[in-house]
Amino acid sequence: MLRRPLVAVVALLALMLAPAACGPDIDIQKSLTITDVISGYYDNGLKDGWNHLLPSLTFRIANSASSSVTGLELTVAFWQEGADGEMDSVLVQRIGNDTIPANGASDPVTVRGTVGYRLEEARADLFTHSLFKDVTAKIFARRGGRIYPIGSVKLD
């Protein structure tokens, strides 16, 4: 007869402790910033006679809070200048060692889009091609079920 009350108590404890598993309550938008950025286009090789170039971004996440941050997922969305929607987005489920120390920075994170540019001409001609548009990467952090914008980078 004690089984049902015991199950209910265990379930209640699990619900109460779930938010604590995400770490201390800090303001993600104010505490996290994007630093040490390297951006450009990754040469994905020659396929079917076309040169494939993908947007690429490497960065660190700086944490200005007095507590470590864990449990982050990132989404990096690539947007072409003047477009109505994103060109591509990439989900990063783990960030290096998965902990960003207090007043420290994450390991470097490299994200490459899966959609980019393809052209028959030489790779060097991409940036002068009539169809080329600049790309901006928008970086979002997800923690505890909420999504926070933490940075935006125009690719070099």
Side-chain angles (χ1 to χ4, degrees):
M1 292 292 176
L2 287 176
R3 264 194 149 153
R4 284 190 182 160
L6 182 60
V7 170
V9 169
V10 170
L12 182 61
L13 281 173
L15 286 173
M16 290 172 48
L17 294 176
C22 294
D25 188 25
I26 66 167
D27 188 335
I28 297 293
Q29 278 184 285
K30 288 182 182 177
S31 300
L32 301 183
T33 55
I34 304 303
T35 63
D36 302 334
V37 175
I38 301 170
S39 68
Y41 292 86
Y42 175 73
D43 184 349
N44 201 32
L46 191 64
K47 296 179 182 169
D48 300 324
W50 294 77
N51 289 303
H52 286 253
L53 297 168
L54 303 174
S56 179
L57 184 65
T58 299
F59 58 93
R60 291 180 189 266
I61 300 172
N63 175 13
S64 63
S66 59
S67 301
S68 295
V69 176
T70 60
L72 280 183
E73 289 182 350
L74 296 179
T75 298
V76 179
F78 295 101
W79 289 70
Q80 282 182 314
E81 188 174 286
D84 289 338
E86 66 184 35
M87 178 172 92
D88 189 19
S89 64
V90 177
L91 175 67
V92 181
Q93 292 184 322
R94 294 204 48 168
I95 305 167
N97 68 11
D98 215 24
T99 298
I100 304 173
N103 297 307
S106 70
D107 293 337
V109 178
T110 298
V111 179
R112 291 192 182 111
T114 59
V115 175
Y117 291 100
R118 66 181 200 150
L119 65 156
E120 290 182 299
E121 296 87 7
R123 291 171 183 88
D125 294 339
L126 169 68
F127 305 106
T128 58
H129 195 281
S130 62
L131 296 177
F132 175 77
K133 294 181 182 177
D134 286 328
V135 173
T136 298
K138 297 178 182 183
I139 302 143
F140 301 89
R142 180 173 181 250
R143 182 171 186 245
R146 296 196 55 200
I147 297 173
Y148 307 90
I150 59 170
S152 181
V153 175
K154 187 172 181 178
L155 272 60
D156 291 332

